[in-house]
Amino acid sequence: MNRILSVFLSHLFKTGNLTITDASGGVTQWGDGTGEKLHIRFNTKAAERAVALHPSLKFGEAYMDGGLDVVSGSIYDVLALIFANADRGDAAREPWMRAIARMRLLYRRYIQNNTPRRARANVQHHYDLSGALYDLFLDADRQYSCAYFERTGASLEEAQLAKKRHIAAKLNFDRPGLRALDIGCGWGGMGLYLAGQLQAEVTGITLSDEQLAVARKRAEDAGLADRAKFRIEDYRDVKGQFDRIVSVGMFEHVGVDFYEAYFSRCAELLEADGVMLLHTIGRFEEPTNTNSFIAKYIFPGGYIPSLSQMTTAIERAGLIVTDVEVLRLHYAETLRHWRERFAARRDEAKALYDERFCRMWEFYLAASEGSFRWQDLVVFQVQLTKSRDALPLTRDYMFEAEARLRQSDDANAAAASREGAWPERCAAE
């Protein structure tokens, strides 16, 4: 086995039961022999050398390109073992690992230079993939962000509906007809919920052609096109004033150098007594690089902020942080559902793309789930206002609104069940 790789693995694996067959046919055991027996095989010396020098990028590439195979267990099982051991941090302190991290920091700002043109290209890279792909693993409402699991055993559909309800309650729609801006509206699910359940006048913006077409059709089919309007637009170009602003799963694409511009623009767009709710992936440790594989293949230009990076920009924009909730393992559970659904329909994904794509997507979902289970990733829901008296004095209004919406959602679900369809499916079709 490559000497550098052997040293790295000796620092990494203290627990577990992993067998590695190297490209020369040599077999080594790693860990303390406990747990499920896992086995990976390197098929080429080039893959072995690459993983030794840059594991955070090249391990995923080797799996994606067939440079290594998982012989026993799954790629998720292997990554789970890696994450569980890496949590101790010994391997990351290797000199070459620190050198790679420093080099990536030097050009991080170039990678995240998300000008309007580059931001649109980055979004199209991921979100303009075939809609049939997303139908394989998302819920029927195509909620492609962290769900909210109100109870153990909730289905993905239930948890995604609960997420929309949870966010809507925090926005305090205390009267009908409020003007709401949805920044990064996706396929329209959040905006349609606000327009349908709370009679809001919604403007949804996206940079994805695929998402725009679906969102507009859904609004037409639901009879909400007069209250839910969607368009291609960058947040920097939006005009007008809004009573409510919501952004779910978009802030990760803004880029560090644009945080102040983002929050300043939101402050300009928000009415004096308005309320904003930002839902974003974040990290609870100090700022660091985005995972190399995810940045290169999945979300180019993406970056996961720490709360300190966000609050500095928020304060400079003149906005007030009125509430912060940290969702810890909700995204891990969301990703588990996605990973299992994708695995169950893998043959369909392969028919849409190819084996390499399937391996890339498997690695992405598995690595992302592991990051929320064993590393420092969480989801922040940050409520913002421009005025200290824009909201009621206590948080009771959130719980009361959520209870009312839950009652309404349950009634809709019961009615749809009598008609033979779930409400989320009706809304999506």
Side-chain angles (χ1 to χ4, degrees):
M1 177 179 287
N2 179 283
R3 185 177 65 83
I4 296 176
L5 181 59
S6 181
V7 171
F8 175 72
L9 294 174
S10 68
H11 283 260
L12 176 61
F13 288 110
K14 302 302 182 184
T15 63
N17 190 350
L18 177 65
T19 299
I20 298 180
T21 300
D22 62 35
S24 300
V27 178
T28 51
Q29 302 291 135
W30 302 93
D32 60 2
T34 60
E36 180 183 359
K37 293 182 179 180
L38 304 176
H39 184 184
I40 63 174
R41 180 183 65 242
F42 282 96
N43 297 321
T44 67
K45 288 186 178 295
E48 200 174 305
R49 286 193 299 271
V51 172
L53 294 173
H54 193 352
S56 68
L57 172 63
K58 297 300 181 179
F59 185 73
E61 284 189 339
Y63 178 74
M64 178 176 70
D65 294 328
L68 70 82
D69 289 314
V70 179
V71 181
S72 298
S74 67
I75 189 62
Y76 172 77
D77 297 327
V78 173
L79 286 170
L81 181 61
I82 291 171
F83 280 125
N85 278 274
D87 193 43
R88 297 175 296 102
D90 296 347
R93 285 193 284 269
E94 291 296 334
W96 73 91
M97 293 289 287
R98 294 199 301 270
I100 290 171
R102 284 195 297 270
M103 285 189 292
R104 290 189 67 221
L105 277 172
L106 292 175
Y107 64 86
R108 182 181 70 183
R109 281 197 149 82
Y110 170 75
I111 293 172
Q112 295 167 19
N113 185 28
N114 293 328
T115 60
R117 184 175 181 178
R118 180 175 283 187
R120 179 154 161 75
N122 289 340
V123 166
Q124 289 176 317
H125 172 88
H126 190 88
Y127 296 100
D128 279 351
L129 294 170
S130 169
L133 168 69
Y134 292 105
D135 285 339
L136 297 180
F137 67 96
L138 296 182
D139 65 302
D141 196 41
R142 282 199 192 172
Q143 288 292 306
Y144 196 21
S145 58
C146 177
Y148 183 64
F149 290 85
E150 293 180 314
R151 60 177 180 80
T152 302
S155 70
L156 181 62
E157 280 71 21
E158 290 170 334
Q160 290 292 13
L161 179 59
K163 182 264 299 292
K164 292 183 291 183
R165 183 167 60 230
H166 197 57
I167 289 172
K170 292 184 177 187
L171 284 164
N172 190 35
F173 282 86
D174 54 0
R175 60 191 184 278
L178 291 178
R179 294 160 296 164
L181 174 65
D182 185 355
I183 302 177
C185 63
W187 290 277
M190 188 76 231
L192 292 173
Y193 186 84
L194 299 179
Q197 285 286 66
L198 294 157
Q199 294 76 54
E201 300 292 332
V202 178
T203 298
I205 61 170
T206 178
L207 297 179
S208 164
D209 295 315
E210 173 75 17
Q211 290 183 336
L212 177 67
V214 172
R216 283 179 169 174
K217 185 177 187 306
R218 292 183 64 195
E220 288 284 350
D221 292 347
L224 294 171
D226 60 329
R227 289 209 304 269
K229 303 182 187 302
F230 301 98
R231 60 181 185 242
I232 294 285
E233 193 163 32
D234 190 281
Y235 68 90
R236 287 162 280 212
D237 299 326
V238 178
K239 301 293 191 297
Q241 291 279 288
F242 299 89
D243 303 297
R244 301 291 184 265
I245 298 177
V246 62
S247 185
V248 180
M250 176 272 177
F251 190 72
E252 300 91 329
H253 304 283
V254 169
V256 175
D257 285 347
F258 296 91
Y259 284 1
E260 288 191 29
Y262 174 86
F263 286 113
S264 293
R265 189 70 191 122
C266 289
E268 292 168 2
L269 293 169
L270 194 63
E271 290 281 11
D273 61 349
V275 182
M276 177 175 176
L277 195 285
L278 178 67
H279 171 115
T280 179
I281 299 171
R283 58 178 75 252
F284 58 72
E285 293 183 352
E286 62 184 358
T288 189
N289 290 307
T290 302
N291 174 270
S292 303
F293 184 87
I294 300 298
K296 182 174 181 179
Y297 291 101
I298 308 300
F299 295 115
Y303 179 76
I304 307 302
S306 66
L307 195 58
S308 60
Q309 290 175 304
M310 294 168 58
T311 53
T312 298
I314 289 168
E315 291 162 2
R316 289 175 178 170
L319 291 167
I320 303 169
V321 177
T322 48
D323 189 81
V324 178
E325 182 176 7
V326 182
L327 306 182
R328 291 163 289 110
L329 290 169
H330 291 264
Y331 218 154
E333 284 302 297
T334 305
L335 283 153
R336 177 181 65 81
H337 280 278
W338 291 349
R339 175 175 58 82
E340 291 174 351
R341 288 181 176 208
F342 183 82
R345 303 181 69 179
R346 190 183 193 277
D347 289 344
E348 295 174 68
K350 187 174 179 180
L352 288 171
Y353 292 97
D354 55 24
E355 176 65 21
R356 183 177 185 270
F357 180 90
C358 288
R359 285 184 169 226
M360 177 184 72
W361 213 258
E362 286 171 337
F363 191 89
Y364 150 55
L365 294 174
S368 297
E369 182 181 343
S371 296
F372 283 93
R373 288 200 188 280
W374 291 286
Q375 296 193 314
D376 66 337
L377 295 192
V378 293
V379 169
F380 298 128
Q381 286 191 348
V382 184
Q383 185 193 60
L384 304 166
T385 66
K386 293 170 71 172
S387 170
R388 70 188 69 201
D389 58 357
L391 291 162
L393 193 58
T394 72
R395 301 174 80 245
D396 291 353
Y397 72 92
M398 292 186 192
F399 310 128
E400 292 165 359
E402 197 161 10
R404 288 194 303 271
L405 287 169
R406 186 181 298 107
Q407 186 176 27
S408 178
D409 290 338
D410 289 346
N412 289 340
S417 180
R418 288 193 296 270
E419 297 172 6
W422 290 104
E424 295 90 346
R425 176 66 68 185
C426 293
E429 295 178 345

